[in-house]
Amino acid sequence: MRRYRESHELAIHDDLTGLYNTRYLYKILSELAATAETLRDPFSVIFLDIDDFKPRGGHLWPLKGSQALQEVARTIRECLTEPAFGVAYGGDEFVAVLQGFNKSRAILKAEEIRARMKQTAYLAGHGQSVNLRASFGIATYPDDATNVTTLLAMADRAMFLIKEKGKDAVQSA
C-alpha cells in the first residue's frame, strides 16, 4: 500500500518543484469543469511565466536556475490555500488552479503572488540575491471558456499580452 501511494505521488507531481504536473492538471481541470457545470461554481487559472529567465551567464546557471525554480514554486505554494494548487507547467511556466474563484478573486490572488515574488530574494541561501518577476494571465471558467483547453489557451494568451506590453503585470482574458 505504501509503495502504491509513493508511486501515485510520483506520477502526479513534478520532480523538480514538488508541484503537481501537467498530467494531473488536465485530469483535475476536466473534473472541475464538470463540477462547475453542475454546481454553478466558477474556477480560475493563473498562467505565469518568469520574466527574462534565460541563462544569466556562467556555467553554474543551470544548477542555480533549477534552485530558483524550486524557490518560485515555494512562493506559489505559500500563496495558495487548498483546494487551490500549483502546477509546474514546463520550464519557467507555472499554473495556479483556483477552485471557487471568480475573475476578480483570481486577479487579487495573482497580484498577491506577484507581490510576494517581488519581495523575495531568490537564491539568497546560495550566495546570491536574484530578483525574479513574472507575467500573469488569468482565465475563468465558464466566463472566458467552456472547455479546459480553451481556458488554458486564454490564460496563456493573456500572459503573452503582458509580455508584449512590458512584463511584470497581471492581465485577465
Side-chain angles (χ1 to χ4, degrees), residues 9-170:
E9 288 298 308
L10 289 172
I12 63 173
H13 286 91
D14 175 65
D15 289 340
L16 178 65
T17 64
L19 295 175
Y20 286 102
N21 60 27
T22 55
R23 183 180 310 115
Y24 182 78
L25 171 69
Y26 286 102
K27 177 184 177 296
I28 202 74
L29 285 181
S30 295
E31 293 172 11
L32 285 174
T35 302
E37 290 294 323
T38 305
L39 301 177
R40 303 271 183 237
D41 189 27
F43 67 92
S44 295
V45 294
I46 301 171
F47 206 110
L48 72 103
D49 181 79
I50 301 173
D51 296 330
D52 305 314
F53 192 79
K54 300 297 177 232
R56 297 170 179 238
H59 66 285
L60 293 177
W61 179 247
L63 295 175
K64 291 180 180 177
S66 293
Q67 180 61 40
L69 291 173
Q70 290 172 337
E71 292 179 25
V72 169
R74 184 177 323 119
T75 299
I76 294 167
R77 197 170 20 257
E78 289 170 354
C79 291
L80 300 177
T81 304
E82 287 187 16
F85 63 90
V87 175
Y89 196 78
D92 59 344
E93 297 176 325
F94 298 89
V95 173
V97 177
L98 309 170
Q99 187 175 350
F101 277 60
N102 61 19
K103 188 170 293 200
S104 60
R105 283 186 68 203
I107 290 169
L108 290 174
K109 183 54 71 176
E111 288 292 358
E112 177 188 341
I113 296 168
R114 181 173 166 254
R116 179 79 65 91
M117 284 183 70
K118 285 181 130 178
Q119 297 167 357
T120 302
Y122 293 98
L123 300 174
H126 298 273
Q128 289 189 306
S129 180
V130 177
N131 295 316
L132 296 174
R133 305 289 183 260
S135 297
F136 297 77
I138 297 166
T140 301
Y141 185 96
D143 298 350
D144 297 318
T146 55
N147 70 66
V148 297
T149 303
T150 304
L151 183 74
L152 284 171
M154 297 289 289
D156 187 46
R157 188 174 311 130
M159 184 267 302
F160 272 105
L161 287 174
I162 289 299
K163 293 280 191 190
E164 292 173 359
K165 291 179 184 177
K167 306 175 185 174
D168 188 27
V170 174

